[in-house]
Amino acid sequence: MWEGERRPRPADVADEQTLLRWYWLKSELVEMARRAHLSTAGGKIELTQRIAAHFAGREMAPATRVDRTDKLPAALTGDTLIQPGQRCTQALRQWMRDRVGSSFTFDAATRSAVAAGGLTLNDLETLWRQPRPITEPAEQFELNRFSRSWHHGHPGGSHADMLAAWKTHRSRPRDW
């Protein structure tokens, strides 16, 4: 049971067990990777795996780099073809909001479809309008996962209360 153990500073983490025991912001993981002279490329999961492997003395494949660019023309139409590697840009977001309304957000399905390419903007709109089950945010979006769970357990709770609970949650070890 957790008895008030203090969360270490990123600069004080020197072993895999300590790294994996606590929640870290991406900026903190980047700081740890730089201290260890490791690549800072990739998302939180990849960074954590790279740092953990370093601490444990394990070899790890080089960082993967996804070539994401903005290949869309300035004037977008429903027939505009999305190329593989396309980023979810503000221009693309605005085009979708103009078509489907201000409720549009890039969810996991639309982000994946945009990155994969091979569909038109009309196809992307159709995909977004299709009913999909509500899924749990991916592991790297721990705040989103916590927020959803907290609000489910505290209907009517304020955003400020959720953030205070999040601060307490992330100050505790994961095994608590």
Side-chain angles (χ1 to χ4, degrees):
M1 176 164 212
W2 182 70
E3 297 184 21
E5 180 180 358
R6 296 188 61 92
R7 181 177 180 274
R9 296 176 314 138
D12 296 334
V13 177
D15 63 89
E16 181 180 25
Q17 181 180 5
T18 303
L19 172 73
L20 298 177
R21 191 157 185 243
W22 301 90
Y23 171 84
W24 302 102
L25 299 174
K26 183 170 181 184
S27 60
E28 293 170 322
L29 293 169
V30 167
E31 176 185 335
M32 287 184 231
R34 284 188 178 134
R35 283 183 169 280
H37 305 289
L38 301 171
S39 170
T40 60
K44 287 178 64 175
I45 294 170
E46 187 176 1
L47 272 171
T48 301
Q49 290 171 345
R50 186 176 310 117
I51 297 164
H54 169 77
F55 286 147
R58 293 188 306 270
E59 290 291 321
M60 187 166 167
T64 57
R65 180 161 177 87
V66 177
D67 184 25
R68 294 273 173 92
T69 57
D70 183 9
K71 302 173 184 175
L72 294 174
L76 300 177
T77 70
D79 294 326
T80 299
L81 183 64
I82 300 172
Q83 299 297 318
Q86 175 63 43
R87 292 179 314 132
C88 296
T89 63
Q90 291 299 324
L92 184 52
R93 176 179 284 111
Q94 188 58 54
W95 189 89
M96 288 294 291
R97 284 187 173 168
D98 289 346
R99 294 289 289 256
V100 301
S102 62
S103 65
F104 173 78
T105 59
F106 287 109
D107 60 10
T110 54
R111 281 191 308 270
S112 294
V114 168
L119 68 161
T120 66
L121 293 183
N122 282 335
D123 297 333
L124 184 63
E125 178 184 349
T126 299
L127 171 68
W128 191 83
R129 290 183 187 277
Q130 291 175 352
R132 290 185 291 285
I134 296 175
T135 58
E136 188 70 15
E139 181 183 346
Q140 68 267 32
F141 301 116
E142 191 166 340
L143 173 59
N144 298 30
R145 294 166 71 103
F146 179 86
S147 175
R148 183 176 288 175
S149 173
W150 189 89
H151 282 292
H152 180 75
H154 301 85
S158 73
H159 182 70
D161 290 341
M162 183 279 297
L163 289 176
W166 166 249
K167 186 175 180 180
T168 299
H169 170 77
R170 78 161 257 197
S171 72
R172 294 178 176 153
R174 290 179 186 258
D175 56 4
W176 180 71

